[in-house]
């Protein structure tokens, strides 16, 4: 189900005007798409952070523009955060059509990590997202996979993920997303790496 975000149209003015809006808690953004002009918008920073922290940045969103009855179906294509505060400072939304397939990045939720860690083994996560293709209404909020039964030496590749009906994998199916390693092996490899670094330092000195 698409999450609804409230917004209002923004006048395009000078940078001073934009900085003033940000100081007042507004987050600027744009909506763009095929055969449509770019629309500059403003969103409440407080409500935006609350919604995205709860539901994430992936999947389909509904933008309800103040003063308009018809909402926009969009995806978050990119966003920027302040390098120090970490607060959102800009978002780009892609307008989508219900009958056109699109490519989207979807997050993966790994289930069963605690069970593996209880055995003393380590879960080495390499990828947390994959690209998929489907109709906007078929975009899942997330992809889940239970890894509790995996053992040392096992790995998960993109092709192992179970996709909902109507959803196709765009990421290379052989892309490794996760490995299971023993804590002993990991410690030994870390020690070797440290020894190599010390050897380099000694050689330099």
């Amino acid at each position: 189900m698409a999450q609804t975000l409230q917004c209002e149209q923004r006048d395009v003015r000078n940078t001073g005007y934009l900085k003033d809006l940000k100081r007042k808690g507004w987050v600027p953004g744009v909506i763009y798409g095929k055969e449509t002009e770019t629309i500059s918008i403003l969103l409440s920073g407080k409500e935006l952070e609350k919604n995205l922290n709860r539901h994430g940045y992936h999947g389909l969103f509904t933008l309800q523009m103040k003063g308009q009855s018809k909402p926009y179906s969009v995806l978050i294509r990119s966003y920027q955060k302040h390098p120090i505060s970490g607060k959102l400072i800009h978002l780009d939304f892609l307008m989508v059509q219900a009958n056109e397939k699109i490519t989207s990045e979807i997050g993966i939720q790994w289930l069963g990590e605690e069970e593996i860690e209880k055995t003393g083994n380590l879960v080495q996560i390499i990828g947390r997202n994959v690209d998929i293709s489907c109709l906007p209404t078929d975009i899942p909020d997330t992809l889940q996979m239970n890894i509790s039964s995996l053992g040392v030496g096992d790995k998960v590749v993109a092709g192992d993920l179970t996709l909902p009906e109507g959803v196709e994998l765009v990421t290379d199916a052989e892309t490794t997303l996760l490995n299971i390693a023993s804590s002993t092996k990991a410690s030994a490899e870390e020690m070797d790496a440290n020894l190599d670094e010390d050897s380099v330092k000694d050689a330099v000195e």
Side-chain angles (χ1 to χ4, degrees), residues 149-163:
S149 62
L150 299 183
V152 176
D154 289 339
K155 69 176 182 179
V156 176
V157 297
D160 293 329
L161 297 171
T162 300
L163 303 178

Side-chain angles (χ1 to χ4, degrees), residues 130-151:
V130 291
D131 291 330
I132 61 170
S133 174
C134 62
L135 295 175
T137 52
D138 291 334
I139 298 176
D141 292 330
T142 185
L143 297 175
Q144 295 183 338
M145 182 169 183
N146 194 315
I147 59 173
S148 60
S149 62
L150 299 183

Side-chain angles (χ1 to χ4, degrees), residues 104-122:
S104 180
E105 185 181 67
I106 296 297
I108 306 167
Q109 183 179 5
W110 302 109
L111 307 177
E113 287 186 61
E114 293 182 357
E115 285 78 357
I116 292 177
E117 292 171 351
K118 286 178 182 178
T119 66
N121 296 325
L122 299 176

Side-chain angles (χ1 to χ4, degrees), residues 23-40:
R23 281 195 295 269
K24 293 178 179 178
W26 292 97
V27 177
V30 294
I31 307 172
Y32 66 94
K34 292 181 179 179
E35 301 177 1
T36 183
E37 293 185 2
T38 299
I39 304 171
S40 298

Side-chain angles (χ1 to χ4, degrees), residues 18-141:
L18 201 56
K19 288 180 180 179
D20 185 52
L21 288 172
K22 292 178 180 179
R23 281 195 295 269
K24 293 178 179 178
W26 292 97
V27 177
V30 294
I31 307 172
Y32 66 94
K34 292 181 179 179
E35 301 177 1
T36 183
E37 293 185 2
T38 299
I39 304 171
S40 298
I41 61 172
L42 287 173
L43 304 99
S44 166
K46 184 177 180 180
E47 291 302 316
L48 185 62
E49 293 274 5
K50 181 180 178 181
N51 195 301
L52 296 181
N53 287 338
R54 181 185 303 167
H55 302 290
Y57 292 73
H58 302 292
L60 190 65
F61 289 86
T62 297
L63 278 182
Q64 183 62 60
M65 184 84 74
K66 183 178 180 180
Q68 295 185 13
S69 58
K70 186 178 179 180
Y72 298 96
S73 293
V74 299
L75 296 175
I76 296 178
R77 267 302 182 236
S78 65
Y79 59 89
Q80 300 173 28
K81 290 189 175 184
H82 191 279
I84 298 176
S85 67
K87 291 185 177 180
L88 282 166
I89 56 175
H90 194 275
L91 295 103
D92 286 358
F93 294 96
L94 172 65
M95 195 185 309
V96 297
Q97 302 297 325
N99 60 348
E100 291 184 8
K101 283 190 174 184
I102 56 173
T103 298
S104 180
E105 185 181 67
I106 296 297
I108 306 167
Q109 183 179 5
W110 302 109
L111 307 177
E113 287 186 61
E114 293 182 357
E115 285 78 357
I116 292 177
E117 292 171 351
K118 286 178 182 178
T119 66
N121 296 325
L122 299 176
V123 179
Q124 300 176 328
I125 298 177
I126 300 169
R128 296 183 180 274
N129 307 288
V130 291
D131 291 330
I132 61 170
S133 174
C134 62
L135 295 175
T137 52
D138 291 334
I139 298 176
D141 292 330

